[in-house]
Amino acid sequence: MSRSPGEPLLQVEGLRTWFPIKRGLLQRTTGHVQAVTDVDLEIAPASTLALVGESGCGKTTVGRSILRLTPAQAGRVSFEGVDLMKLSEAKLRGYRRHIQIIFQDPMASLNPRMRVRDSVAEGMRSFGIGRDEADRTERVKALFGKVQLDPGHIWRYPHEFSGGQRQRICIARALAVEPRLIVCDEAVSALDVSIQAQILNLLSDLQRDLGIAYLFITHDLGVVRYLADRVAVMYLGRIVEAGTTEQIFSRPRHPYTRALLAAAPSMDPDIRGEAPPVVGDVPSPSDPPSGCPFHPRCPEAMEQCERELPPVRQDAEGRVVCFLDSVVAPGAAESADPTGGEEFA
């Protein structure tokens, strides 16, 4: 695979993943759970894009749809210029080596009946990496060293490790097939804070040494500020704001982004920010509100927000989907989707 200079490693355009709601004896489709609607994302080589939002907003579905673990109804997922959505299962298999995933629960991710050496080497065997089993064993030992585990422990079972150590094993398993992109789906949220910091340092070191890109799915804004180069904020299946990490934390423009920062548990006022509280519950993705999906909970909502999807506004700092004039700096270039519904990266 070859990529033109400046071309993103991964580009997602118009991704839509809806789940049918079936009822009755004949199981007829009576509606859809609109998990992901017209999402655009872009990840540069050796960079980290954080996808953040409340639980249930569709973040995990985005990650699973990119890997085609969950089928999407529409959109384009371009990896190094190749649209993965158009590939047959046979051709897609060759690309799975280059995009790996780390899940939230490491214990559930590892087969309790397999020694961790076999779990880590499984992908190598599948993709023909290594001359033989002895060579793969040496590679597993080297990977244990990379993730700061004792290579002498490769013959143990998952239950013999702590939670943090098991997540390191999952990282080693992802690295075993030499991926270019790793989707980290809440990869540190189940760990103690001190262990989280160690895993984040490890991921940062691996990115520096190996040139790996990350799609980091999380609800923890502290993690985002430490690890991410860019941030995309998601609400009810749509991206509402995206920009550099510095812009999102220092100059958030969408009311939802400001509310997330204000609610973040942090001693740093720059992270907490100040914003009116968000009231009410997240609407159901099976019956989303008309107009702007955030308007029922937005303290700055206008009458227009109830009727129409906001335009996509873009300037030098990033993109935001909102009617408020304050979201774009004076004199900045703006772009609006004529349908009012396209999302952004």
Side-chain angles (χ1 to χ4, degrees):
M1 290 177 289
S2 60
R3 185 179 66 252
S4 303
E7 182 183 348
L9 179 69
L10 180 80
Q11 189 167 23
V12 178
E13 300 172 283
L15 185 67
R16 177 174 295 191
T17 306
W18 290 10
F19 301 106
I21 301 172
K22 297 182 181 293
R23 291 195 176 96
L25 185 63
L26 300 178
Q27 289 294 286
R28 289 177 175 159
T29 299
T30 59
H32 288 86
V33 176
Q34 300 178 25
V36 175
T37 301
D38 299 334
V39 162
D40 294 358
L41 298 172
E42 192 172 288
I43 304 176
S47 71
T48 300
L49 171 69
L51 184 59
V52 303
E54 293 171 288
S55 296
C57 72
K59 306 185 300 295
T60 291
T61 304
V62 169
R64 293 181 61 88
S65 297
I66 288 172
L67 277 78
R68 281 183 52 179
L69 298 176
T70 296
Q73 282 68 56
R76 184 172 184 268
V77 178
S78 178
F79 181 76
E80 296 194 326
V82 176
D83 187 358
L84 303 183
M85 300 290 283
K86 294 182 177 179
L87 297 181
S88 65
E89 284 295 330
K91 291 184 178 179
L92 178 66
R93 185 177 180 278
Y95 284 85
R96 291 196 185 280
R97 170 179 176 178
H98 304 295
I99 309 178
Q100 291 291 298
I101 186 167
I102 301 170
F103 294 102
Q104 176 178 353
D105 185 352
M107 190 61 183
S109 302
L110 297 168
N111 188 333
R113 297 181 178 86
M114 290 177 65
R115 297 180 190 272
V116 294
R117 179 269 175 201
D118 297 323
S119 291
V120 174
E122 193 173 22
M124 297 185 202
R125 193 179 303 111
S126 177
F127 290 107
I129 299 173
R131 296 185 303 273
D132 50 31
E133 288 304 311
D135 183 40
R136 282 189 272 273
T137 295
E138 292 305 311
R139 288 172 179 261
V140 173
K141 288 180 179 179
L143 286 167
F144 263 50
K146 271 191 173 65
V147 299
Q148 300 166 12
L149 290 174
D150 187 341
H153 293 168
I154 66 170
W155 299 107
R156 294 184 176 185
Y157 289 93
H159 72 269
E160 298 180 75
F161 295 89
S162 68
Q165 288 173 326
R166 285 193 288 264
Q167 196 61 292
R168 291 174 188 270
I169 293 168
C170 291
I171 293 171
R173 183 175 60 180
L175 294 176
V177 294
E178 301 169 352
R180 295 181 176 88
L181 171 68
I182 297 179
V183 177
C184 302
D185 186 8
E186 298 281 8
V188 298
S189 64
L191 305 175
D192 292 338
V193 174
S194 60
I195 305 301
Q196 283 186 12
Q198 295 173 20
I199 297 297
L200 292 174
N201 284 331
L202 173 62
L203 291 172
S204 181
D205 292 343
L206 290 170
Q207 184 173 70
R208 184 190 63 239
D209 296 341
L210 304 176
I212 301 169
Y214 297 125
L215 171 59
F216 204 90
I217 298 169
T218 183
H219 64 275
D220 189 331
L221 290 168
V223 169
V224 168
R225 192 170 202 186
Y226 174 82
L227 193 65
D229 302 295
R230 296 184 60 81
V231 179
V233 181
M234 196 167 185
Y235 183 80
L236 207 62
R238 295 178 180 270
I239 305 294
V240 296
E241 182 173 0
T244 64
T245 303
E246 173 63 24
Q247 178 261 306
I248 292 294
F249 279 87
S250 301
R251 298 175 299 282
R253 296 177 292 175
H254 195 281
Y256 179 61
T257 307
R258 294 198 289 267
L260 280 182
L261 290 168
S266 173
M267 298 298 292
D268 185 348
D270 292 335
I271 294 179
R272 288 200 316 271
E274 295 182 3
V278 175
V279 297
D281 298 323
V282 179
S284 170
S286 63
D287 186 24
S290 60
C292 173
F294 186 56
H295 87 260
R297 305 176 69 201
C298 181
E300 302 177 65
M302 304 175 289
E303 184 179 347
Q304 186 179 20
C305 303
E306 301 179 22
R307 302 191 309 267
E308 306 171 36
L309 275 171
V312 178
R313 300 177 179 233
Q314 181 172 2
D315 60 23
E317 295 210 309
R319 295 188 183 186
V320 62
V321 180
C322 192
F323 284 117
L324 293 173
D325 292 335
S326 60
V327 300
V328 177
E334 299 184 10
S335 67
D337 172 20
T339 67
E342 185 177 349
E343 298 302 322
F344 57 89

